[in-house]
Amino acid sequence: VHGGNILDRMWAFVRVVTRAFTTQKPPKSPLVMYTLKLNNCARINDIQKAKTILEEMNQSGVQPDLITYTAVLKLLIRQKDLDGAVRLMKQMKEAGVPPDLVAHTVVMRHFVSRRDKSGLRQFIQEMQQSGISPNIVVYTQLMQLASTIEEANEIIAEMKAANIEPDVVFFTSMMQIFVKKSDVAGVKSVMKLMAAQGIQPDVISYTDLIQLYATQNNLKAAQSVLEKMKRSGVLPNAVTYSVLIERHARKNNHIEARKLLEEMIANKVQITHANEFTIINSFLKHQGFPAAVVMIHHMIDCGVTPHNSTFAGLIGKLVYRSNTAGVTAVMETMVEAKIKPDINTFNMLLRMFVATNSIEGLKNVIQHMLNARVRPNQTTVSLLNSNPALLSAVPEYFLTSSRRRGTTV
């Protein structure tokens, strides 16, 4: 590239860059390819496909490595097949690929999910006998199954003997002992212990304490924890705010609930569809549909438009109560917010009008579906067939639309 005129140097540079981008990367080894496929099987929970891939590896003479075996272990534990996981670990040893600490912690999840303390203890003992020492993850899993402060202290003593320091996840697991017993003093004692260790409580720790106070209807104390949390530099998440908003809805504290919603949005806290529904449904449940609709409008005014699924869930609740006025108000809000109802929403409306033998209501829903260009699905057809007396209200072109999708009314 050095020397020559500027044009020569430019062409030389182009050739170097072109060569860099056109040079083919070396192909992945068969083992890597099979491991990637098995990891994908673990991700989608497809045990049959994983067995097929393992058979292919065997026929091709490709020996699995530790990463490959661990991917299969994850899948077996998700399938709740402990016997299969134990057999595989034995097979790993016979193949000269002994399970490591990560492989063991994967299998430990089975005992945690089953709340099997003795089984987990025995499994850890066998792991130690094979020369593998527990780490913080193992002790945290033990703490998740502890039910008394005495058990928790025993685990902490074991950790100290092994020179392993507890972390925030460990202490949060410890807090659950007291959360389950609605023991505020116990939760606070764990938080003091965290402070003594120089460990800052995280959002989960604070939210657990807030939820505990809220459950006991001590909203003043819950709000105090929220303020302390923010002063400590720990940002509340959507769950934290949802817990408080739901409790304020129970107490008919509309102003406080709105303030919290506004703060939540101003802090750019990501609101999931589940959080949206929890907030709105709390007002529907405790204050009635007018309060729920007002809250929806307030969310929209704050710049957050609820998701289609949130409206669908709300309409489903109102349909269950046969609250036609509420359904109408929510549908009008959807129109104002320029949200197009999906087929699930329309099917909920059809269910209400089919159950009440309302030909006028049925016609309106079908017309709205046609206007929105939402085609009926199998559930729509089943609903219409459940009340043959109303079929006369269904337009022929609507039936044709159903048949185009392979269904018959």
PDB file of all heavy atoms in Angstrom, residues 73 77 82 85-86 89 93 99-111 116-130 132 134 138 141:
ATOM      1  N   LEU A  73     -28.147 -32.240  29.536  1.00  0.00           N
ATOM      2  CA  LEU A  73     -28.576 -32.257  30.940  1.00  0.00           C
ATOM      3  C   LEU A  73     -29.649 -31.201  31.203  1.00  0.00           C
ATOM      4  O   LEU A  73     -30.643 -31.458  31.888  1.00  0.00           O
ATOM      5  CB  LEU A  73     -27.382 -32.007  31.863  1.00  0.00           C
ATOM      6  CG  LEU A  73     -26.476 -33.194  32.183  1.00  0.00           C
ATOM      7  CD1 LEU A  73     -25.263 -32.732  32.974  1.00  0.00           C
ATOM      8  CD2 LEU A  73     -27.232 -34.269  32.946  1.00  0.00           C
ATOM      9  N   ILE A  77     -33.450 -32.003  32.608  1.00  0.00           N
ATOM     10  CA  ILE A  77     -33.980 -31.408  33.841  1.00  0.00           C
ATOM     11  C   ILE A  77     -35.260 -30.626  33.551  1.00  0.00           C
ATOM     12  O   ILE A  77     -36.207 -30.642  34.342  1.00  0.00           O
ATOM     13  CB  ILE A  77     -32.913 -30.521  34.507  1.00  0.00           C
ATOM     14  CG1 ILE A  77     -31.757 -31.385  35.016  1.00  0.00           C
ATOM     15  CG2 ILE A  77     -33.510 -29.715  35.650  1.00  0.00           C
ATOM     16  CD1 ILE A  77     -32.148 -32.489  35.977  1.00  0.00           C
ATOM     17  N   LEU A  82     -35.082 -36.786  36.093  1.00  0.00           N
ATOM     18  CA  LEU A  82     -33.897 -36.881  36.938  1.00  0.00           C
ATOM     19  C   LEU A  82     -33.145 -38.180  36.672  1.00  0.00           C
ATOM     20  O   LEU A  82     -31.907 -38.193  36.619  1.00  0.00           O
ATOM     21  CB  LEU A  82     -34.294 -36.801  38.413  1.00  0.00           C
ATOM     22  CG  LEU A  82     -33.138 -36.922  39.417  1.00  0.00           C
ATOM     23  CD1 LEU A  82     -32.141 -35.787  39.233  1.00  0.00           C
ATOM     24  CD2 LEU A  82     -33.671 -36.953  40.841  1.00  0.00           C
ATOM     25  N   ALA A  85     -31.065 -37.807  33.682  1.00  0.00           N
ATOM     26  CA  ALA A  85     -29.916 -36.934  33.945  1.00  0.00           C
ATOM     27  C   ALA A  85     -28.829 -37.682  34.701  1.00  0.00           C
ATOM     28  O   ALA A  85     -27.636 -37.553  34.393  1.00  0.00           O
ATOM     29  CB  ALA A  85     -30.367 -35.708  34.728  1.00  0.00           C
ATOM     30  N   VAL A  86     -29.225 -38.497  35.690  1.00  0.00           N
ATOM     31  CA  VAL A  86     -28.252 -39.278  36.468  1.00  0.00           C
ATOM     32  C   VAL A  86     -27.560 -40.299  35.569  1.00  0.00           C
ATOM     33  O   VAL A  86     -26.335 -40.503  35.651  1.00  0.00           O
ATOM     34  CB  VAL A  86     -28.949 -39.970  37.663  1.00  0.00           C
ATOM     35  CG1 VAL A  86     -28.011 -40.963  38.344  1.00  0.00           C
ATOM     36  CG2 VAL A  86     -29.433 -38.929  38.667  1.00  0.00           C
ATOM     37  N   MET A  89     -25.017 -38.487  33.465  1.00  0.00           N
ATOM     38  CA  MET A  89     -23.815 -38.133  34.225  1.00  0.00           C
ATOM     39  C   MET A  89     -22.900 -39.351  34.398  1.00  0.00           C
ATOM     40  O   MET A  89     -21.667 -39.238  34.328  1.00  0.00           O
ATOM     41  CB  MET A  89     -24.200 -37.551  35.578  1.00  0.00           C
ATOM     42  CG  MET A  89     -24.890 -36.195  35.477  1.00  0.00           C
ATOM     43  SD  MET A  89     -25.339 -35.502  37.082  1.00  0.00           S
ATOM     44  CE  MET A  89     -23.784 -34.771  37.580  1.00  0.00           C
ATOM     45  N   LYS A  93     -18.963 -39.891  32.826  1.00  0.00           N
ATOM     46  CA  LYS A  93     -17.772 -40.395  33.526  1.00  0.00           C
ATOM     47  C   LYS A  93     -17.135 -41.546  32.760  1.00  0.00           C
ATOM     48  O   LYS A  93     -15.905 -41.628  32.620  1.00  0.00           O
ATOM     49  CB  LYS A  93     -18.159 -40.854  34.935  1.00  0.00           C
ATOM     50  CG  LYS A  93     -18.576 -39.723  35.868  1.00  0.00           C
ATOM     51  CD  LYS A  93     -19.037 -40.268  37.220  1.00  0.00           C
ATOM     52  CE  LYS A  93     -19.556 -39.153  38.119  1.00  0.00           C
ATOM     53  NZ  LYS A  93     -20.097 -39.678  39.389  1.00  0.00           N
ATOM     54  N   PRO A  99     -18.638 -34.862  34.814  1.00  0.00           N
ATOM     55  CA  PRO A  99     -19.428 -33.626  34.988  1.00  0.00           C
ATOM     56  C   PRO A  99     -18.676 -32.630  35.864  1.00  0.00           C
ATOM     57  O   PRO A  99     -18.072 -33.010  36.871  1.00  0.00           O
ATOM     58  CB  PRO A  99     -20.702 -34.117  35.684  1.00  0.00           C
ATOM     59  CG  PRO A  99     -20.746 -35.587  35.442  1.00  0.00           C
ATOM     60  CD  PRO A  99     -19.328 -36.042  35.340  1.00  0.00           C
ATOM     61  N   ASP A 100     -18.704 -31.360  35.482  1.00  0.00           N
ATOM     62  CA  ASP A 100     -18.061 -30.317  36.283  1.00  0.00           C
ATOM     63  C   ASP A 100     -19.086 -29.662  37.201  1.00  0.00           C
ATOM     64  O   ASP A 100     -20.231 -30.124  37.312  1.00  0.00           O
ATOM     65  CB  ASP A 100     -17.367 -29.285  35.383  1.00  0.00           C
ATOM     66  CG  ASP A 100     -18.358 -28.518  34.507  1.00  0.00           C
ATOM     67  OD1 ASP A 100     -19.568 -28.864  34.516  1.00  0.00           O
ATOM     68  OD2 ASP A 100     -17.936 -27.573  33.815  1.00  0.00           O
ATOM     69  N   LEU A 101     -18.696 -28.575  37.851  1.00  0.00           N
ATOM     70  CA  LEU A 101     -19.579 -27.875  38.784  1.00  0.00           C
ATOM     71  C   LEU A 101     -20.830 -27.349  38.086  1.00  0.00           C
ATOM     72  O   LEU A 101     -21.940 -27.435  38.617  1.00  0.00           O
ATOM     73  CB  LEU A 101     -18.826 -26.733  39.453  1.00  0.00           C
ATOM     74  CG  LEU A 101     -19.597 -25.891  40.473  1.00  0.00           C
ATOM     75  CD1 LEU A 101     -20.113 -26.757  41.615  1.00  0.00           C
ATOM     76  CD2 LEU A 101     -18.726 -24.767  41.025  1.00  0.00           C
ATOM     77  N   VAL A 102     -20.658 -26.808  36.872  1.00  0.00           N
ATOM     78  CA  VAL A 102     -21.800 -26.263  36.123  1.00  0.00           C
ATOM     79  C   VAL A 102     -22.816 -27.363  35.838  1.00  0.00           C
ATOM     80  O   VAL A 102     -24.027 -27.184  36.014  1.00  0.00           O
ATOM     81  CB  VAL A 102     -21.335 -25.597  34.811  1.00  0.00           C
ATOM     82  CG1 VAL A 102     -22.539 -25.164  33.975  1.00  0.00           C
ATOM     83  CG2 VAL A 102     -20.429 -24.404  35.103  1.00  0.00           C
ATOM     84  N   ALA A 103     -22.328 -28.533  35.393  1.00  0.00           N
ATOM     85  CA  ALA A 103     -23.235 -29.652  35.094  1.00  0.00           C
ATOM     86  C   ALA A 103     -24.002 -30.076  36.345  1.00  0.00           C
ATOM     87  O   ALA A 103     -25.199 -30.363  36.292  1.00  0.00           O
ATOM     88  CB  ALA A 103     -22.438 -30.822  34.524  1.00  0.00           C
ATOM     89  N   HIS A 104     -23.320 -30.097  37.475  1.00  0.00           N
ATOM     90  CA  HIS A 104     -23.985 -30.473  38.730  1.00  0.00           C
ATOM     91  C   HIS A 104     -25.051 -29.446  39.136  1.00  0.00           C
ATOM     92  O   HIS A 104     -26.143 -29.818  39.585  1.00  0.00           O
ATOM     93  CB  HIS A 104     -22.948 -30.618  39.855  1.00  0.00           C
ATOM     94  CG  HIS A 104     -22.236 -31.938  39.858  1.00  0.00           C
ATOM     95  ND1 HIS A 104     -21.090 -32.158  39.124  1.00  0.00           N
ATOM     96  CD2 HIS A 104     -22.503 -33.107  40.498  1.00  0.00           C
ATOM     97  CE1 HIS A 104     -20.678 -33.398  39.311  1.00  0.00           C
ATOM     98  NE2 HIS A 104     -21.518 -34.001  40.147  1.00  0.00           N
ATOM     99  N   THR A 105     -24.736 -28.148  38.991  1.00  0.00           N
ATOM    100  CA  THR A 105     -25.718 -27.128  39.382  1.00  0.00           C
ATOM    101  C   THR A 105     -26.951 -27.171  38.489  1.00  0.00           C
ATOM    102  O   THR A 105     -28.048 -26.831  38.926  1.00  0.00           O
ATOM    103  CB  THR A 105     -25.098 -25.720  39.339  1.00  0.00           C
ATOM    104  OG1 THR A 105     -24.502 -25.483  38.053  1.00  0.00           O
ATOM    105  CG2 THR A 105     -24.047 -25.543  40.413  1.00  0.00           C
ATOM    106  N   VAL A 106     -26.768 -27.595  37.231  1.00  0.00           N
ATOM    107  CA  VAL A 106     -27.923 -27.756  36.337  1.00  0.00           C
ATOM    108  C   VAL A 106     -28.870 -28.804  36.908  1.00  0.00           C
ATOM    109  O   VAL A 106     -30.091 -28.604  36.962  1.00  0.00           O
ATOM    110  CB  VAL A 106     -27.458 -28.162  34.913  1.00  0.00           C
ATOM    111  CG1 VAL A 106     -28.635 -28.666  34.082  1.00  0.00           C
ATOM    112  CG2 VAL A 106     -26.800 -26.977  34.210  1.00  0.00           C
ATOM    113  N   VAL A 107     -28.324 -29.927  37.354  1.00  0.00           N
ATOM    114  CA  VAL A 107     -29.157 -31.016  37.898  1.00  0.00           C
ATOM    115  C   VAL A 107     -29.769 -30.612  39.238  1.00  0.00           C
ATOM    116  O   VAL A 107     -30.879 -31.035  39.581  1.00  0.00           O
ATOM    117  CB  VAL A 107     -28.320 -32.305  38.035  1.00  0.00           C
ATOM    118  CG1 VAL A 107     -29.168 -33.438  38.621  1.00  0.00           C
ATOM    119  CG2 VAL A 107     -27.770 -32.722  36.672  1.00  0.00           C
ATOM    120  N   MET A 108     -29.074 -29.768  39.999  1.00  0.00           N
ATOM    121  CA  MET A 108     -29.605 -29.320  41.295  1.00  0.00           C
ATOM    122  C   MET A 108     -30.933 -28.589  41.160  1.00  0.00           C
ATOM    123  O   MET A 108     -31.738 -28.561  42.092  1.00  0.00           O
ATOM    124  CB  MET A 108     -28.588 -28.415  41.992  1.00  0.00           C
ATOM    125  CG  MET A 108     -27.388 -29.146  42.546  1.00  0.00           C
ATOM    126  SD  MET A 108     -26.216 -28.009  43.318  1.00  0.00           S
ATOM    127  CE  MET A 108     -24.735 -29.010  43.285  1.00  0.00           C
ATOM    128  N   ARG A 109     -31.162 -27.974  39.999  1.00  0.00           N
ATOM    129  CA  ARG A 109     -32.421 -27.242  39.790  1.00  0.00           C
ATOM    130  C   ARG A 109     -33.628 -28.157  39.973  1.00  0.00           C
ATOM    131  O   ARG A 109     -34.704 -27.712  40.377  1.00  0.00           O
ATOM    132  CB  ARG A 109     -32.450 -26.639  38.378  1.00  0.00           C
ATOM    133  CG  ARG A 109     -31.401 -25.564  38.138  1.00  0.00           C
ATOM    134  CD  ARG A 109     -31.391 -25.153  36.688  1.00  0.00           C
ATOM    135  NE  ARG A 109     -30.211 -24.376  36.346  1.00  0.00           N
ATOM    136  CZ  ARG A 109     -29.808 -24.138  35.108  1.00  0.00           C
ATOM    137  NH1 ARG A 109     -30.499 -24.599  34.082  1.00  0.00           N
ATOM    138  NH2 ARG A 109     -28.718 -23.435  34.874  1.00  0.00           N
ATOM    139  N   HIS A 110     -33.439 -29.446  39.643  1.00  0.00           N
ATOM    140  CA  HIS A 110     -34.537 -30.405  39.794  1.00  0.00           C
ATOM    141  C   HIS A 110     -34.968 -30.488  41.254  1.00  0.00           C
ATOM    142  O   HIS A 110     -36.163 -30.441  41.572  1.00  0.00           O
ATOM    143  CB  HIS A 110     -34.095 -31.782  39.289  1.00  0.00           C
ATOM    144  CG  HIS A 110     -35.079 -32.876  39.584  1.00  0.00           C
ATOM    145  ND1 HIS A 110     -36.143 -33.158  38.755  1.00  0.00           N
ATOM    146  CD2 HIS A 110     -35.175 -33.740  40.636  1.00  0.00           C
ATOM    147  CE1 HIS A 110     -36.846 -34.148  39.271  1.00  0.00           C
ATOM    148  NE2 HIS A 110     -36.287 -34.519  40.403  1.00  0.00           N
ATOM    149  N   PHE A 111     -33.988 -30.597  42.161  1.00  0.00           N
ATOM    150  CA  PHE A 111     -34.303 -30.729  43.593  1.00  0.00           C
ATOM    151  C   PHE A 111     -34.913 -29.444  44.143  1.00  0.00           C
ATOM    152  O   PHE A 111     -35.812 -29.489  44.980  1.00  0.00           O
ATOM    153  CB  PHE A 111     -33.035 -31.085  44.365  1.00  0.00           C
ATOM    154  CG  PHE A 111     -32.413 -32.386  43.946  1.00  0.00           C
ATOM    155  CD1 PHE A 111     -31.294 -32.411  43.127  1.00  0.00           C
ATOM    156  CD2 PHE A 111     -32.956 -33.598  44.349  1.00  0.00           C
ATOM    157  CE1 PHE A 111     -30.717 -33.611  42.733  1.00  0.00           C
ATOM    158  CE2 PHE A 111     -32.399 -34.804  43.961  1.00  0.00           C
ATOM    159  CZ  PHE A 111     -31.278 -34.805  43.152  1.00  0.00           C
ATOM    160  N   ASP A 116     -37.010 -30.510  47.358  1.00  0.00           N
ATOM    161  CA  ASP A 116     -36.466 -31.746  47.919  1.00  0.00           C
ATOM    162  C   ASP A 116     -35.130 -31.438  48.607  1.00  0.00           C
ATOM    163  O   ASP A 116     -34.058 -31.548  48.001  1.00  0.00           O
ATOM    164  CB  ASP A 116     -36.293 -32.783  46.803  1.00  0.00           C
ATOM    165  CG  ASP A 116     -35.808 -34.127  47.323  1.00  0.00           C
ATOM    166  OD1 ASP A 116     -35.560 -34.251  48.538  1.00  0.00           O
ATOM    167  OD2 ASP A 116     -35.676 -35.060  46.508  1.00  0.00           O
ATOM    168  N   LYS A 117     -35.194 -31.046  49.881  1.00  0.00           N
ATOM    169  CA  LYS A 117     -33.986 -30.655  50.619  1.00  0.00           C
ATOM    170  C   LYS A 117     -33.037 -31.835  50.813  1.00  0.00           C
ATOM    171  O   LYS A 117     -31.821 -31.712  50.610  1.00  0.00           O
ATOM    172  CB  LYS A 117     -34.365 -30.063  51.980  1.00  0.00           C
ATOM    173  CG  LYS A 117     -34.819 -28.634  51.915  1.00  0.00           C
ATOM    174  CD  LYS A 117     -34.963 -28.019  53.301  1.00  0.00           C
ATOM    175  CE  LYS A 117     -36.277 -28.398  53.939  1.00  0.00           C
ATOM    176  NZ  LYS A 117     -36.545 -27.610  55.166  1.00  0.00           N
ATOM    177  N   SER A 118     -33.587 -32.972  51.234  1.00  0.00           N
ATOM    178  CA  SER A 118     -32.724 -34.129  51.498  1.00  0.00           C
ATOM    179  C   SER A 118     -32.071 -34.623  50.210  1.00  0.00           C
ATOM    180  O   SER A 118     -30.894 -35.004  50.209  1.00  0.00           O
ATOM    181  CB  SER A 118     -33.534 -35.253  52.154  1.00  0.00           C
ATOM    182  OG  SER A 118     -34.590 -35.670  51.299  1.00  0.00           O
ATOM    183  N   GLY A 119     -32.826 -34.608  49.124  1.00  0.00           N
ATOM    184  CA  GLY A 119     -32.273 -35.028  47.837  1.00  0.00           C
ATOM    185  C   GLY A 119     -31.146 -34.113  47.379  1.00  0.00           C
ATOM    186  O   GLY A 119     -30.115 -34.570  46.873  1.00  0.00           O
ATOM    187  N   LEU A 120     -31.334 -32.796  47.583  1.00  0.00           N
ATOM    188  CA  LEU A 120     -30.307 -31.832  47.194  1.00  0.00           C
ATOM    189  C   LEU A 120     -29.055 -32.010  48.054  1.00  0.00           C
ATOM    190  O   LEU A 120     -27.928 -31.988  47.535  1.00  0.00           O
ATOM    191  CB  LEU A 120     -30.851 -30.408  47.349  1.00  0.00           C
ATOM    192  CG  LEU A 120     -29.878 -29.275  46.985  1.00  0.00           C
ATOM    193  CD1 LEU A 120     -29.398 -29.405  45.545  1.00  0.00           C
ATOM    194  CD2 LEU A 120     -30.545 -27.918  47.201  1.00  0.00           C
ATOM    195  N   ARG A 121     -29.243 -32.199  49.346  1.00  0.00           N
ATOM    196  CA  ARG A 121     -28.111 -32.405  50.252  1.00  0.00           C
ATOM    197  C   ARG A 121     -27.302 -33.645  49.846  1.00  0.00           C
ATOM    198  O   ARG A 121     -26.062 -33.633  49.810  1.00  0.00           O
ATOM    199  CB  ARG A 121     -28.594 -32.554  51.685  1.00  0.00           C
ATOM    200  CG  ARG A 121     -28.837 -31.240  52.407  1.00  0.00           C
ATOM    201  CD  ARG A 121     -27.533 -30.568  52.725  1.00  0.00           C
ATOM    202  NE  ARG A 121     -27.692 -29.363  53.531  1.00  0.00           N
ATOM    203  CZ  ARG A 121     -26.709 -28.554  53.826  1.00  0.00           C
ATOM    204  NH1 ARG A 121     -25.489 -28.797  53.373  1.00  0.00           N
ATOM    205  NH2 ARG A 121     -26.915 -27.474  54.556  1.00  0.00           N
ATOM    206  N   GLN A 122     -28.008 -34.730  49.551  1.00  0.00           N
ATOM    207  CA  GLN A 122     -27.333 -35.972  49.163  1.00  0.00           C
ATOM    208  C   GLN A 122     -26.574 -35.791  47.854  1.00  0.00           C
ATOM    209  O   GLN A 122     -25.439 -36.261  47.706  1.00  0.00           O
ATOM    210  CB  GLN A 122     -28.365 -37.096  49.022  1.00  0.00           C
ATOM    211  CG  GLN A 122     -27.740 -38.452  48.708  1.00  0.00           C
ATOM    212  CD  GLN A 122     -28.771 -39.558  48.590  1.00  0.00           C
ATOM    213  OE1 GLN A 122     -29.923 -39.381  48.994  1.00  0.00           O
ATOM    214  NE2 GLN A 122     -28.372 -40.681  48.032  1.00  0.00           N
ATOM    215  N   PHE A 123     -27.182 -35.060  46.910  1.00  0.00           N
ATOM    216  CA  PHE A 123     -26.555 -34.841  45.602  1.00  0.00           C
ATOM    217  C   PHE A 123     -25.273 -34.008  45.769  1.00  0.00           C
ATOM    218  O   PHE A 123     -24.248 -34.291  45.141  1.00  0.00           O
ATOM    219  CB  PHE A 123     -27.536 -34.132  44.668  1.00  0.00           C
ATOM    220  CG  PHE A 123     -27.038 -33.988  43.263  1.00  0.00           C
ATOM    221  CD1 PHE A 123     -27.081 -35.055  42.374  1.00  0.00           C
ATOM    222  CD2 PHE A 123     -26.528 -32.779  42.813  1.00  0.00           C
ATOM    223  CE1 PHE A 123     -26.617 -34.929  41.078  1.00  0.00           C
ATOM    224  CE2 PHE A 123     -26.070 -32.634  41.522  1.00  0.00           C
ATOM    225  CZ  PHE A 123     -26.116 -33.719  40.643  1.00  0.00           C
ATOM    226  N   ILE A 124     -25.340 -32.982  46.633  1.00  0.00           N
ATOM    227  CA  ILE A 124     -24.160 -32.138  46.886  1.00  0.00           C
ATOM    228  C   ILE A 124     -23.055 -32.953  47.547  1.00  0.00           C
ATOM    229  O   ILE A 124     -21.870 -32.807  47.221  1.00  0.00           O
ATOM    230  CB  ILE A 124     -24.542 -30.917  47.755  1.00  0.00           C
ATOM    231  CG1 ILE A 124     -25.455 -29.977  46.969  1.00  0.00           C
ATOM    232  CG2 ILE A 124     -23.298 -30.162  48.211  1.00  0.00           C
ATOM    233  CD1 ILE A 124     -26.056 -28.864  47.793  1.00  0.00           C
ATOM    234  N   GLN A 125     -23.444 -33.846  48.473  1.00  0.00           N
ATOM    235  CA  GLN A 125     -22.464 -34.695  49.150  1.00  0.00           C
ATOM    236  C   GLN A 125     -21.753 -35.595  48.146  1.00  0.00           C
ATOM    237  O   GLN A 125     -20.515 -35.756  48.197  1.00  0.00           O
ATOM    238  CB  GLN A 125     -23.160 -35.534  50.226  1.00  0.00           C
ATOM    239  CG  GLN A 125     -22.199 -36.332  51.094  1.00  0.00           C
ATOM    240  CD  GLN A 125     -22.933 -37.098  52.188  1.00  0.00           C
ATOM    241  OE1 GLN A 125     -24.149 -37.097  52.253  1.00  0.00           O
ATOM    242  NE2 GLN A 125     -22.177 -37.762  53.048  1.00  0.00           N
ATOM    243  N   GLU A 126     -22.516 -36.174  47.212  1.00  0.00           N
ATOM    244  CA  GLU A 126     -21.920 -37.021  46.170  1.00  0.00           C
ATOM    245  C   GLU A 126     -20.991 -36.206  45.272  1.00  0.00           C
ATOM    246  O   GLU A 126     -19.941 -36.698  44.834  1.00  0.00           O
ATOM    247  CB  GLU A 126     -23.028 -37.681  45.342  1.00  0.00           C
ATOM    248  CG  GLU A 126     -23.827 -38.717  46.114  1.00  0.00           C
ATOM    249  CD  GLU A 126     -25.059 -39.197  45.355  1.00  0.00           C
ATOM    250  OE1 GLU A 126     -25.293 -38.704  44.228  1.00  0.00           O
ATOM    251  OE2 GLU A 126     -25.793 -40.045  45.898  1.00  0.00           O
ATOM    252  N   MET A 127     -21.376 -34.957  45.002  1.00  0.00           N
ATOM    253  CA  MET A 127     -20.537 -34.079  44.189  1.00  0.00           C
ATOM    254  C   MET A 127     -19.203 -33.815  44.893  1.00  0.00           C
ATOM    255  O   MET A 127     -18.132 -33.857  44.271  1.00  0.00           O
ATOM    256  CB  MET A 127     -21.269 -32.760  43.923  1.00  0.00           C
ATOM    257  CG  MET A 127     -20.492 -31.781  43.067  1.00  0.00           C
ATOM    258  SD  MET A 127     -21.318 -30.161  42.928  1.00  0.00           S
ATOM    259  CE  MET A 127     -20.893 -29.444  44.538  1.00  0.00           C
ATOM    260  N   GLN A 128     -19.271 -33.550  46.197  1.00  0.00           N
ATOM    261  CA  GLN A 128     -18.052 -33.290  46.969  1.00  0.00           C
ATOM    262  C   GLN A 128     -17.155 -34.530  47.019  1.00  0.00           C
ATOM    263  O   GLN A 128     -15.925 -34.426  46.951  1.00  0.00           O
ATOM    264  CB  GLN A 128     -18.424 -32.840  48.383  1.00  0.00           C
ATOM    265  CG  GLN A 128     -19.026 -31.448  48.437  1.00  0.00           C
ATOM    266  CD  GLN A 128     -19.520 -31.085  49.831  1.00  0.00           C
ATOM    267  OE1 GLN A 128     -20.372 -31.754  50.402  1.00  0.00           O
ATOM    268  NE2 GLN A 128     -18.971 -30.008  50.386  1.00  0.00           N
ATOM    269  N   GLN A 129     -17.779 -35.706  47.097  1.00  0.00           N
ATOM    270  CA  GLN A 129     -17.000 -36.946  47.121  1.00  0.00           C
ATOM    271  C   GLN A 129     -16.262 -37.178  45.805  1.00  0.00           C
ATOM    272  O   GLN A 129     -15.240 -37.863  45.767  1.00  0.00           O
ATOM    273  CB  GLN A 129     -17.927 -38.135  47.422  1.00  0.00           C
ATOM    274  CG  GLN A 129     -18.432 -38.165  48.856  1.00  0.00           C
ATOM    275  CD  GLN A 129     -19.527 -39.189  49.078  1.00  0.00           C
ATOM    276  OE1 GLN A 129     -20.024 -39.815  48.134  1.00  0.00           O
ATOM    277  NE2 GLN A 129     -19.914 -39.371  50.341  1.00  0.00           N
ATOM    278  N   SER A 130     -16.801 -36.575  44.723  1.00  0.00           N
ATOM    279  CA  SER A 130     -16.130 -36.700  43.423  1.00  0.00           C
ATOM    280  C   SER A 130     -15.032 -35.654  43.245  1.00  0.00           C
ATOM    281  O   SER A 130     -14.419 -35.568  42.173  1.00  0.00           O
ATOM    282  CB  SER A 130     -17.157 -36.588  42.291  1.00  0.00           C
ATOM    283  OG  SER A 130     -17.676 -35.267  42.210  1.00  0.00           O
ATOM    284  N   ILE A 132     -15.433 -32.187  43.762  1.00  0.00           N
ATOM    285  CA  ILE A 132     -15.902 -30.860  43.345  1.00  0.00           C
ATOM    286  C   ILE A 132     -16.458 -30.128  44.561  1.00  0.00           C
ATOM    287  O   ILE A 132     -17.350 -30.624  45.251  1.00  0.00           O
ATOM    288  CB  ILE A 132     -16.979 -30.964  42.243  1.00  0.00           C
ATOM    289  CG1 ILE A 132     -16.408 -31.670  41.023  1.00  0.00           C
ATOM    290  CG2 ILE A 132     -17.502 -29.574  41.863  1.00  0.00           C
ATOM    291  CD1 ILE A 132     -17.438 -31.964  39.944  1.00  0.00           C
ATOM    292  N   PRO A 134     -18.526 -27.039  46.485  1.00  0.00           N
ATOM    293  CA  PRO A 134     -19.653 -26.129  46.202  1.00  0.00           C
ATOM    294  C   PRO A 134     -19.173 -24.688  46.056  1.00  0.00           C
ATOM    295  O   PRO A 134     -18.164 -24.301  46.643  1.00  0.00           O
ATOM    296  CB  PRO A 134     -20.552 -26.286  47.428  1.00  0.00           C
ATOM    297  CG  PRO A 134     -20.103 -27.542  48.106  1.00  0.00           C
ATOM    298  CD  PRO A 134     -18.651 -27.684  47.798  1.00  0.00           C
ATOM    299  N   VAL A 138     -24.307 -22.986  44.497  1.00  0.00           N
ATOM    300  CA  VAL A 138     -24.792 -24.183  45.203  1.00  0.00           C
ATOM    301  C   VAL A 138     -25.408 -23.798  46.550  1.00  0.00           C
ATOM    302  O   VAL A 138     -26.500 -24.248  46.905  1.00  0.00           O
ATOM    303  CB  VAL A 138     -23.637 -25.181  45.406  1.00  0.00           C
ATOM    304  CG1 VAL A 138     -24.101 -26.372  46.257  1.00  0.00           C
ATOM    305  CG2 VAL A 138     -23.099 -25.665  44.072  1.00  0.00           C
ATOM    306  N   GLN A 141     -28.767 -22.170  46.171  1.00  0.00           N
ATOM    307  CA  GLN A 141     -29.838 -23.140  45.931  1.00  0.00           C
ATOM    308  C   GLN A 141     -30.259 -23.824  47.225  1.00  0.00           C
ATOM    309  O   GLN A 141     -31.446 -24.095  47.440  1.00  0.00           O
ATOM    310  CB  GLN A 141     -29.381 -24.170  44.883  1.00  0.00           C
ATOM    311  CG  GLN A 141     -29.276 -23.572  43.484  1.00  0.00           C
ATOM    312  CD  GLN A 141     -28.911 -24.599  42.427  1.00  0.00           C
ATOM    313  OE1 GLN A 141     -28.135 -25.507  42.666  1.00  0.00           O
ATOM    314  NE2 GLN A 141     -29.468 -24.446  41.242  1.00  0.00           N
TER     315      GLN A 141
END
